Amino acid sequence: ARLLFLFFCICPMGNWLCGHNGRESTARSFTAEVIKPQGEHSSTLIFLHGLGDSGLNWSQTLKKIVPSHCKVICPNARPIPVTINNRSVIPAWFDIYGLTLDAAQDEPGIEKAADKVSKIIKSEVEDHGIPLDRIILGGFSQGGSVALYTSLASSSLRGLGGVFLLSSWLPLGQQI
């Protein structure tokens, strides 16, 4: 309930339908589904999908619940070979080597994903004038792990409006 409360503090209830859904690259290295606000843009929700999914699927759900002043950005992870899926090439933020607590982790991949997310946030602040405390970062499963890691590992994101994750974990937790 507290994480949901943080979302509503940044995006207070109002007209719950968002405007047009379009593709827009906010950090040149990948695409993102963008739900443009119907009203004056004063807050942003950045939501990262899970392993094998896409930003499109989540954007279709999120556009139904955000207020008119909130822009939604759902980046799309690039397809990469994922070790635990027999190296099948699927959309993923980073490789996953195993599911045990002591399994090796794809530190370079996690860092690269966190850097991409940080660039989206920086673009919202610098290019669109959205204060950091009016930006919420969230995600599902692997996307949630990137959201949480990004928020904790980057000192420049102190003051972020909120972070939420659904069915997720903290990668590289021993280093933070």
Side-chain angles (χ1 to χ4, degrees):
R2 182 174 182 183
L3 294 176
L4 189 56
F5 174 74
L6 287 173
F7 176 77
F8 289 122
C9 284
I10 300 307
C11 303
M13 288 194 264
N15 181 351
W16 288 91
L17 298 176
C18 260
H20 134 270
N21 178 4
R23 289 178 153 268
E24 187 177 293
S25 181
T26 53
R28 297 178 187 182
S29 58
F30 57 92
T31 63
E33 303 301 323
V34 177
I35 307 296
K36 296 181 179 180
Q38 277 187 329
E40 184 178 340
H41 179 203
S42 62
S43 64
T44 300
L45 168 64
I46 301 164
F47 189 86
L48 308 175
H49 64 78
L51 183 67
D53 202 356
S54 73
L56 178 62
N57 293 329
W58 283 98
S59 69
Q60 296 304 304
T61 299
L62 293 170
K63 76 178 181 180
K64 297 174 185 175
I65 63 171
V66 298
S68 62
H69 60 82
C70 187
K71 176 180 181 180
V72 178
I73 302 173
C74 295
N76 295 297
R78 289 180 169 228
I80 62 168
V82 177
T83 301
I84 62 163
N85 285 3
N86 294 318
R87 304 231 9 108
S88 295
V89 177
I90 58 175
W93 298 105
F94 55 88
D95 195 2
I96 300 176
Y97 304 134
L99 299 177
T100 62
L101 290 176
D102 61 344
Q105 296 184 61
D106 178 15
E107 185 172 353
I110 294 165
E111 292 287 345
K112 184 176 179 181
D115 183 58
K116 289 177 182 181
V117 173
S118 293
K119 287 178 181 174
I120 294 172
I121 295 169
K122 182 178 180 181
S123 173
E124 285 300 295
V125 172
E126 294 179 0
D127 300 338
H128 301 286
I130 304 303
L132 189 58
D133 67 355
R134 304 272 304 161
I135 298 173
I136 299 286
L137 178 59
F140 173 74
S141 190
Q142 189 185 45
S145 71
V146 172
L148 183 58
Y149 179 81
T150 301
S151 70
L152 294 174
S154 177
S155 61
S156 67
L157 296 182
R158 300 297 185 264
L160 191 63
V163 175
F164 70 97
L165 36 146
L166 309 169
S167 299
S168 197
W169 72 97
L170 174 61
L172 304 174
Q174 68 284 3
Q175 297 177 20
I176 293 179

